[in-house]
């Protein structure tokens, strides 16, 4: 006996839309947790940039880090707002199933008061529809921003890695060509976009053709492997702007909130070092990061560190972190001879090599107390909390009186390029 085959339900897409809120809510909750954790990932990337990159590349790193914090902030804000709106939407849908609409006859308030209040409020069904639309739009916008940021971060970071690996083999001007072309293309696109969207040139076929070509190839450059996906989302917004201005404005508002949130996280990081690394440190300020007892939770030291602000045992421990790029600068400045690489050195040769590098690092440091140079003996060390490489020394303070003193530390690079710190400390007692 033949069985009758049910026809394909033509409303499958509508059913999917109606049920998508469950997946949206789950993805949104997971995304909020993951995105907030992403700030620590950007912090890690920031410390690697500071540690490994030559300071003349810090500006590129600065652009990556700022965009990263702002993008993650926008994502976190949009997904959080989406989660809150979708939860509110679920509440409205539940209310609507029990109370289809407002009631004037059954109101607990007077008819006059109820009628006046109801004139202020939208219909329940209208609110449900608008919030549902906003949630769906927010989800797609957040997805689009995530793809753009991910692509930019990967491309820019890969460029820095390739640049630093190839700079000793390939002329620097050749390695800078991609960066120059990229900047030029962005400037050209910004000018063209401004012109093409003015009323005067909206009907100009040549200008619009150029604008189309820029968008087409720009999407391939800026959006990486997802050009059509991101273009599709942006065109849905752009082509429906006049019909859904309210939704677009709400998305822009969420972007603004996200930018503020990302900016707050940015200010809490060490990003300023990328643009202020050569600015003299304020010698009139007692920076908490100078003292080990304040750095128990610190992941990366930017300045020398002593054991405490108040010294009681008459011995001052000084740790000077040496970044990876600083090691390269010091070793080149010292003109350390190459050791044999094709034979296994014996213990004596191996120790001589280690002593040579230590002497090089120590030679380029200057330590003073109250303005007077102090002769110190350094040892190589890894910081117990951050794991950073550096050099450490111990200074006997028996010759100093109780009271306030200042420790000066100076890193000496090429020419007049130096980094200075003034660290105040107080001797409280004498053993």
């Amino acid at each position: 006996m033949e069985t009758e085959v049910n026809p394909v339900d033509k409303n499958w897409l509508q059913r999917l839309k109606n049920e998508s809120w469950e997946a949206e809510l789950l993805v949104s909750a997971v995304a909020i947790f993951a995105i907030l954790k992403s700030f620590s990932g950007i912090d890690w990337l920031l410390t690697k940039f500071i540690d490994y990159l030559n300071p003349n590349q810090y500006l590129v790193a600065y652009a990556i880090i700022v965009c990263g914090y702002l993008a993650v902030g926008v994502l976190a804000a949009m997904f959080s707002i989406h989660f809150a709106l979708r939860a509110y939407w679920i509440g409205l849908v539940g209310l609507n199933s029990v109370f289809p609409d407002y009631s004037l006859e059954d109101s607990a308030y007077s008819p006059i008061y109820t009628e006046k209040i109801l004139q202020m409020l939208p219909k329940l069904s209208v609110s449900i529809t608008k919030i549902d639309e906003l949630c769906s739009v927010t989800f797609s916008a957040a997805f689009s921003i995530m793809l753009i940021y991910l692509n930019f971060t990967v491309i820019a970071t890969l460029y820095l890695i390739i640049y630093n690996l190839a700079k000793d083999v390939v002329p620097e001007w050749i390695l800078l060509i991609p960066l120059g072309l990229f900047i030029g293309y962005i400037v050209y696109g910004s000018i063209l976009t401004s012109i093409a969207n003015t009323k005067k040139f909206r009907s100009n076929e040549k200008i619009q053709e150029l604008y189309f070509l820029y968008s087409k190839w720009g999407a391939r450059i800026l959006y990486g492997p997802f050009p059509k996906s991101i273009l599709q989302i942006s065109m849905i917004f752009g082509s429906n702007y006049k019909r859904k201005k309210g939704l677009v404005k709400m998305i822009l508002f969420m972007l603004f909130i996200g930018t503020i949130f990302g900016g707050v996280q940015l200010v809490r990081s060490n990003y300023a070092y990328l643009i202020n690394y050569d600015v003299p440190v304020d010698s009139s300020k007692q920076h908490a990061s100078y003292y080990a007892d304040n750095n128990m939770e610190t992941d990366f030291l930017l300045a020398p560190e002593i054991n405490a602000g108040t010294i009681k045992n008459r011995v001052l421990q000084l740790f000077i972190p040496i970044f990876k790029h600083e090691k390269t600068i010091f070793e080149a400045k010292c003109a350390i001879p190459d050791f044999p690489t094709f034979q296994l050195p014996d213990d004596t040769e191996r120790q001589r090599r280690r002593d040579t590098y230590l002497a090089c690092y120590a030679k380029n440091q200057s330590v003073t107390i109250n303005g007077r140079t102090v002769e110190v003996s350094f040892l190589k060390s890894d910081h117990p909390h951050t794991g950073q490489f550096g050099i450490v020394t111990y200074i006997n303070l028996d010759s100093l009186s109780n009271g306030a003193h200042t420790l000066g530390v100076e890193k000496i690079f090429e020419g007049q390029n130096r980094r200075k710190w003034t660290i105040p400390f107080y001797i409280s007692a004498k053993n």
Side-chain angles (χ1 to χ4, degrees):
M1 183 177 179
E2 295 184 1
T3 58
E4 183 179 356
V5 179
N6 293 328
V8 178
D9 188 355
K10 296 181 180 180
N11 293 323
W12 67 271
L13 183 59
Q14 185 60 46
R15 289 207 320 274
L16 186 61
K17 290 179 181 178
N18 294 338
E19 298 171 1
S20 65
W21 66 268
E22 297 176 349
E24 285 184 20
L25 204 60
L26 177 62
V27 172
S28 186
V30 174
I32 292 171
F33 176 79
I35 291 168
L36 291 177
K37 288 291 184 181
S38 297
F39 282 117
S40 60
I42 300 178
D43 287 336
W44 176 86
L45 185 62
L46 171 59
T47 59
K48 294 304 178 185
F49 282 159
I50 294 174
D51 198 13
Y52 282 88
L53 294 183
N54 191 290
N56 60 20
Q57 301 171 25
Y58 276 178
L59 190 60
V60 178
Y62 174 78
I64 296 174
I65 293 300
V66 170
C67 289
Y69 274 106
L70 295 182
V72 174
V74 169
L75 283 174
M78 293 186 76
F79 276 112
S80 298
I81 293 172
H82 171 272
F83 185 85
L85 288 175
R86 184 57 78 181
Y88 177 54
W89 178 86
I90 293 172
L92 290 182
V93 171
L95 281 174
N96 190 55
S97 64
V98 179
F99 306 109
D101 209 337
Y102 309 109
S103 175
L104 188 61
E105 293 78 10
D106 299 324
S107 175
Y109 311 104
S110 69
I112 297 176
Y113 173 80
T114 303
E115 188 172 359
K116 288 184 178 294
I117 288 291
L118 294 183
Q119 290 175 358
M120 297 172 49
L121 302 178
K123 293 287 186 180
L124 193 56
S125 58
V126 173
S127 296
I128 292 173
T129 301
K130 287 185 176 181
I131 293 174
D132 184 48
E133 290 178 348
L134 183 57
C135 287
S136 299
V137 168
T138 303
F139 206 76
S140 61
F143 173 77
S144 175
I145 293 171
M146 179 178 63
L147 292 181
I148 294 173
Y149 166 67
L150 179 64
N151 183 66
F152 173 78
T153 302
V154 170
I155 290 177
T157 304
L158 286 177
Y159 173 76
L160 283 178
I161 293 173
I162 294 172
Y163 177 91
N164 284 281
L165 291 176
K167 66 180 180 180
D168 295 330
V169 180
V170 181
E172 187 175 6
W173 67 270
I174 294 179
L175 295 173
L176 291 175
I177 289 177
L179 179 61
L181 291 175
F182 178 78
I183 295 174
Y185 195 77
I186 294 297
V187 173
Y188 164 76
S190 300
I191 297 173
L192 181 61
T193 300
S194 301
I195 295 174
N197 286 292
T198 58
K199 187 176 181 179
K200 180 179 179 181
F201 294 101
R202 289 175 73 91
S203 300
N204 188 303
E205 189 171 344
K206 292 183 177 179
I207 294 293
Q208 297 303 318
E209 178 67 20
L210 287 174
Y211 186 36
F212 164 73
L213 292 174
Y214 165 77
S215 299
K216 177 182 177 181
W217 294 104
R220 297 177 185 274
I221 296 172
L222 299 176
Y223 304 154
F226 312 105
K228 291 186 178 180
S229 299
I230 299 176
L231 271 179
Q232 185 178 43
I233 293 173
S234 63
M235 279 306 297
I236 290 173
F237 277 107
S239 61
N240 290 284
Y241 172 71
K242 293 181 180 180
R243 189 163 61 92
K244 295 286 185 179
K245 286 185 179 181
L247 287 176
V248 176
K249 290 179 180 178
M250 283 298 299
I251 293 298
L252 293 176
F253 176 73
M254 293 179 190
L255 289 174
F256 175 72
I257 297 297
T259 301
I260 294 177
F261 179 65
V264 170
Q265 298 297 322
L266 176 67
V267 171
R268 293 178 178 176
S269 73
N270 293 324
Y271 87 102
Y273 185 86
L274 294 173
I275 52 176
N276 294 328
Y277 69 92
D278 57 349
V279 176
V281 181
D282 185 0
S283 60
S284 65
K285 182 178 180 180
Q286 186 181 38
H287 297 272
S289 59
Y290 290 157
Y291 310 104
D293 49 2
N294 294 329
N295 291 332
M296 301 301 291
E297 303 298 327
T298 300
D299 295 325
F300 192 79
L301 296 179
L302 296 174
E305 177 191 80
I306 63 175
N307 43 321
T310 301
I311 307 298
K312 297 180 180 180
N313 57 7
R314 311 293 295 184
V315 175
L316 185 145
Q317 176 182 320
L318 169 64
F319 176 85
I320 304 177
I322 298 179
F323 303 154
K324 298 292 192 303
H325 71 268
E326 291 177 341
K327 289 177 63 177
T328 302
I329 293 173
F330 292 147
E331 291 166 11
K333 183 181 176 183
C334 293
I336 298 177
D338 293 331
F339 292 94
T341 56
F342 296 104
Q343 66 182 56
L344 187 66
D346 56 23
D347 292 341
T348 303
E349 177 67 15
R350 185 180 291 109
Q351 188 58 50
R352 186 173 75 86
R353 180 185 304 185
R354 293 166 177 165
D355 292 341
T356 301
Y357 282 106
L358 173 60
C360 176
Y361 305 145
K363 177 183 176 181
N364 292 284
Q365 317 296 322
S366 174
V367 179
T368 62
I369 292 182
N370 299 328
R372 295 182 179 181
T373 301
V374 179
E375 296 296 329
V376 294
S377 178
F378 284 105
L379 291 172
K380 291 183 290 184
S381 177
D382 293 323
H383 194 272
H385 297 298
T386 68
Q388 288 173 259
F389 173 78
I391 52 179
V392 64
T393 187
Y394 300 88
I395 304 173
N396 191 305
L397 304 177
D398 283 339
S399 61
L400 297 180
S401 62
N402 292 343
H405 302 275
T406 57
L407 173 73
V409 180
E410 184 176 19
K411 288 184 180 181
I412 306 169
F413 301 101
E414 303 96 338
Q416 300 298 318
N417 187 9
R418 300 184 175 210
R419 287 276 291 162
K420 300 179 181 179
W421 297 268
T422 301
I423 305 175
F425 65 94
Y426 189 91
I427 301 177
S428 67
K430 196 170 186 177
N431 292 338

